[in-house]
Amino acid sequence: MSELVVQARGLTKSYGPLVAVDHVDLEVHPGEVFGMLGPNGAGKSTTMRMIYRVSALTSGSLRVFGLEAGRDDRAIKSQLGVVPQMDNLDEELSVLDNLLVYARFYGLDRALARKRALELLEFLELSARSKDRIRELSGGMKRRLTLARGLMNEPRLLILDEPTTGLDPQVRILLWDKLAELRGRGVTLLLSTHCMDEAERLCDRLMILDHGHVIAQGPPRELIANQVTPQVIEARLEGELEPLEKACADLGVELLPAVNRVSLFVQDGRQMLEELERRGLFLNGAYIRPGNLEDLFLKLTGRSLRQ
Amino acid sequence: MKRLSLRGATRVWERNLWVYSKRWVYNILPNFFEPVFYLLGMGVGLGAYVAAGGQFEGGYTAFVAPGLVAASAMNGGIFETTYNVFVKLHFSKIYDAMVATPLSFEDVAAGEILWAVTRATLYGTAFLAITLFFGVPLTPRLLLALAALPLIGFCFAAIGTAFTSLIDSIDLYTYFWTLFVTPSFVFSGIFFPIEERFPPALITVAELTPLYNAVHMMRGIVRGEWEGVGLNALYLAAVGLALSFFAVRRLGRRFLA
Ligand SMILES: Nc1ncnc2c1ncn2[C@@H]1O[C@H](COP(=O)(O)OP(=O)(O)OP(=O)(O)O)[C@@H](O)[C@H]1O
Ligand SMILES: [Mg+2]
C-alpha cells in the first residue's frame, strides 16, 4: 500500500467565531480522483487552501505526500498544481509568459520551461493564443490557461477548485477529457464542483461538506445506492397534491413536491405507476430515471438557500 | 524570517523585471520627469533670482540637484510599494498565485521590496547623470552617491510597504501623499537649508524625517561634506529594516488567513 497523498485529521479553520472547516477527516489515495461537494460556503475552498498551503490550520493535523504541513510547505508546494476558484493569471504578461514566469517560481530552467509551456498550450488547445494578453481571453480560455499553469511543474497532485464553473458544455467536456487523461498518467486529482453530473462522472470517491462538516464520504455509486432509491419518478403536478400524498404515505414512498412538479423515490418506477393508476391517480408527463447524486445531495443538505 | 529564501525573492524580482523590460518606456517617464521639472523650474528658473543673493556656493541649481536625486530615489521606492503593491495584493491577486508555488509570502514581499530598490536605483542613477549638466561636478565621490541610492530606495520601499500593510482602501494613499510625501519633499532641505529658516523645534522634526536624512546624505556625498553622512545612512538602514519587518509580518498575517 503506497502512502496517502493527503491525510487530514480533525482539520479545522476558524475565522473569528465562524468555524469554516470543522474537524474534517480526509484521505486521498494515490492516483484517484477525489471530489468535494457542498453548498456555497460549506468550506470546500477553505479546506483546499489549507491543503495547498496558503492558509494556516487553526487546529488538526495535515500531511501531504507524507510531509508535514507547516513544516515542509516548500517541499509540498513544489509537487502540487493548483487551479483556484478565481483565476489569478498575471494580467501584465502574455499567455505564454504567464507559463514561463510561473515555471521560474518552481525553479525550472528556461529551456525546459519553454518546452513544457508549448506542450501544455498544445494540450489545452491554446497554441494559437500564446501571444495574447490575458484580458483578450474568454473565461473558458482563462480557465484552461490556469490549468496549464497548474501543470507546469508536472505535479503529483492537482487541486482544482470548481474547474468547470461558468464554462460552456464544449469546454467542460474538453476539460473532463483532459482530467481523465491526467488521471491516466497517474496524477492524483482533488476537485470541488457544484455539478453533480461532473462529480458522478469523474470522481472515484467524494465527500459532501455542509457547514464545515463532512456529512457523507465514499464512492458516488455506493453513496447513491445506500441513500437514494434506485429509481425516481418525475412528473408534472396538475391536480390536487393531497390524494397523491396519501397514496405515497400508504405505500411507504417518499414524495418530494415542488412548484407544479413532484418527485417520487421508488424501488421500481413502472410498478409504482401501475399501482397509482389502479388507485385512479394518473401522473402527467411522468418519466422514470435512476436515483442520482443530486438526489443524495439535496436529501443531505436540504433545499434551502445558504446565506 | 526563517521562511525567507533569497532565491525565492530573486524569482519574484525577475517577474517584475520581465514585465518592466517590456514597457519601461512608459513606466519610467512620469517618475523620472517630475524631479527633472523641479530641477528646471526651481534650479534654473528660480535659481537665477536666488543666486543674486550669492548664498549658494556653486550656484543654486547645484545646491538643489543632489536633493532631487534623493527625491527621485524616494519616488521610485514609494510608488512601487504603494499603488503597485496594493493593486497586486487586492485586485490582480497575483500574490495568491505566487504563494501557491514553492515561494513563501516572505519571499514575495522581499522580492517586491528588492524590486522597488531596483527601480529607485534606476531613477536615481538616470537623474544623477542629468545633474551633471546642471553644475554637479563629476568626481569619484559620485560612485558613493550611486551606492547610496539603493539605501534610500530601501528605506522608502519599507515605508511604502508599511503604509500599504495598514490600509484596505486605495483611496487612503491620498493621505499618505498629502501628509507625508509632499511635506517631506518641500521641507526636507532640498530647496533651502532648513537650519537657516526653521525654528529649532521644527528643525528637530525635519531632521527626523527619512527624506531629510536622504537629502543630507546625498548632498554631503556629492559635495564632499562628510559630517553626519554616516549617521544619515545608519538612520535610513534602521528605518528600512524596522519597517520591513513590521510590514511583512503584518501583511503575512492578513494575507495567509
Ligand atoms: N478569509 C476569510 N475570512 C473570513 N471568512 C471567510 C474567509 N474565507 C472564507 N470564509 C468563510 O468561510 C466559509 C467557507 O467558505 P469557503 O469559501 O470555503 O466555501 P466554499 O465551500 O468554497 O463555497 P463556494 O461553493 O461558494 O465556493 C464561508 O462562510 C466564508 O464566508
Ligand atoms: Mg469555494
Side-chain angles (χ1 to χ4, degrees), chain A residues 45 85 161-162:
Chain A
S45 299
Q85 184 166 358
D161 197 352
E162 299 191 25

Side-chain angles (χ1 to χ4, degrees), chain B residues 150-163:
Chain B
L151 181 59
I152 298 172
F154 173 60
C155 182
F156 285 99
I159 292 171
T161 314
F163 190 77

Side-chain angles (χ1 to χ4, degrees), chain B residues 36-237:
Chain B
V36 172
F37 290 146
Y38 277 102
L39 191 62
L40 289 171
M42 300 300 215
V44 179
L46 190 64
Y49 302 93
V50 177
Q55 295 180 26
F56 293 96
E57 194 191 326
Y60 183 62
T61 311
F63 172 81
V64 176
L68 287 171
V69 170
S72 77
M74 168 181 83
N75 281 343
I78 281 193
F79 196 80
E80 194 61 37
T81 51
T82 49
Y83 286 109
N84 286 359
V85 166
F86 192 93
V87 167
K88 289 178 189 171
L89 195 59
H90 296 278
F91 302 128
S92 82
K93 302 273 177 198
I94 64 164
Y95 297 148
D96 297 68
M98 289 179 179
V99 298
T101 72
L103 300 178
S104 67
F105 184 77
E106 287 78 0
D107 298 347
V108 174
E112 290 292 36
I113 290 177
L114 207 59
W115 174 247
V117 170
T118 307
R119 266 185 96 156
T121 309
L122 284 176
Y123 291 151
T125 305
F127 197 78
L128 191 63
I130 287 178
T131 60
L132 296 177
F133 299 96
F134 292 89
V136 170
L138 185 61
T139 63
R141 291 196 300 275
L142 294 194
L143 287 177
L144 197 59
L146 285 182
L149 291 171
L151 181 59
I152 298 172
F154 173 60
C155 182
F156 285 99
I159 292 171
T161 314
F163 190 77
T164 299
S165 79
L166 293 172
I167 61 172
D168 44 25
S169 158
I170 199 162
D171 300 326
L172 294 173
Y173 283 124
T174 48
Y175 285 91
F176 184 63
W177 249 266
T178 44
L179 297 180
F180 176 71
V181 181
T182 305
S184 288
F185 187 64
V186 178
F187 299 118
S188 289
I190 298 177
F191 300 109
F192 59 93
I194 54 169
E195 299 81 358
E196 295 173 14
R197 303 292 309 152
F198 274 13
L202 271 185
I203 292 176
T204 312
V205 172
E207 281 174 353
L208 287 174
T209 63
L211 189 57
Y212 174 88
N213 283 271
V215 169
H216 190 269
M217 175 176 74
M218 192 51 84
R219 185 174 288 136
I221 293 172
V222 168
R223 310 191 130 208
E225 297 158 3
W226 301 108
E227 198 190 316
V229 166
L231 221 59
N232 295 144
L234 266 180
Y235 170 94
L236 294 171

Side-chain angles (χ1 to χ4, degrees), chain A residues 90-235:
Chain A
D90 195 330
E91 304 262 347
E92 297 186 274
L93 296 169
S94 71
V95 167
L96 178 62
D97 286 353
N98 256 275
L99 301 184
L100 297 180
V101 168
Y102 206 72
R104 293 295 298 153
F105 298 156
Y106 288 93
L108 260 61
D109 84 66
R110 281 168 216 280
L112 180 62
R114 195 165 190 91
K115 180 168 161 284
R116 267 193 208 160
L118 294 175
E119 279 167 14
L120 283 168
L121 290 177
E122 191 74 41
F123 179 61
L124 289 157
E125 301 178 20
L126 284 166
S127 295
R129 295 291 190 144
S130 71
K131 292 204 169 60
D132 285 15
R133 301 186 135 259
I134 299 305
R135 72 172 77 94
E136 291 160 358
L137 301 182
S138 73
M141 291 173 194
K142 283 187 196 166
R143 217 65 194 128
R144 278 183 278 154
L145 181 58
T146 306
L147 175 57
R149 190 185 69 178
L151 292 170
M152 280 301 285
N153 62 327
E154 302 199 316
R156 287 166 64 192
L157 167 65
L158 184 62
I159 300 180
L160 306 113
D161 197 352
E162 299 191 25
T164 60
T165 298
L167 302 185
D168 70 28
Q170 285 84 353
V171 178
R172 198 178 316 152
I173 290 167
L174 173 86
L175 274 187
W176 287 345
D177 288 347
K178 299 303 173 187
L179 294 183
E181 208 174 318
L182 289 169
R183 180 181 189 274
R185 292 189 214 158
V187 180
T188 307
L189 303 178
L190 171 61
L191 64 92
S192 72
T193 179
H194 289 296
C195 174
M196 298 300 140
D197 187 32
E198 174 169 298
E200 217 174 317
R201 196 184 280 238
L202 291 179
C203 298
D204 300 306
R205 289 192 312 128
L206 51 84
M207 70 163 35
I208 301 178
L209 279 174
D210 198 12
H211 300 294
H213 297 279
V214 181
I215 53 172
Q217 187 163 0
R221 300 224 169 276
E222 227 169 78
L223 290 172
I224 297 165
N226 290 345
Q227 309 215 36
V228 185
T229 53
Q231 297 196 324
V232 180
I233 300 171
E234 301 278 5

Side-chain angles (χ1 to χ4, degrees), chain A residues 13 15 49 52-56 74 77-78 80 82 87-94 97 100-102 104-107 110 133 149, chain B residues 2-5 8 11-12 14-15 18-19 22-23 26 88 92-94 96-105 107 255-257:
Chain A
K13 178 79 189 187
Y15 293 109
R49 287 165 48 81
Y52 64 79
R53 303 309 308 130
V54 302
S55 176
R74 252 183 237 276
K77 290 195 288 181
S78 69
L80 276 180
V82 177
D87 289 318
N88 51 19
L89 294 162
D90 195 330
E91 304 262 347
E92 297 186 274
L93 296 169
S94 71
D97 286 353
L100 297 180
V101 168
Y102 206 72
R104 293 295 298 153
F105 298 156
Y106 288 93
R110 281 168 216 280
R133 301 186 135 259
R149 190 185 69 178
Chain B
K2 63 176 194 291
R3 283 186 300 248
L4 176 63
S5 116
R11 285 175 183 150
V12 176
E14 251 181 71
R15 178 262 167 207
W18 193 308
V19 171
K22 302 213 160 164
R23 39 183 205 180
Y26 49 84
K88 289 178 189 171
S92 82
K93 302 273 177 198
I94 64 164
D96 297 68
M98 289 179 179
V99 298
T101 72
L103 300 178
S104 67
F105 184 77
D107 298 347
F255 186 76
L256 298 174

Side-chain angles (χ1 to χ4, degrees), chain A residues 245-283:
Chain A
E245 265 180 338
K246 228 166 163 178
C248 285
D250 250 17
L251 296 162
V253 163
E254 192 189 339
L255 169 80
L256 194 63
V259 185
N260 298 331
R261 254 177 5 92
V262 286
S263 311
L264 282 72
F265 294 87
V266 297
Q267 294 301 317
D268 182 329
R270 192 169 295 275
Q271 214 178 327
M272 179 69 185
L273 285 175
E274 281 166 11
E275 178 61 36
L276 288 176
E277 279 170 27
R278 234 172 285 136
R279 294 167 179 239
L281 289 164
F282 296 92
L283 291 180

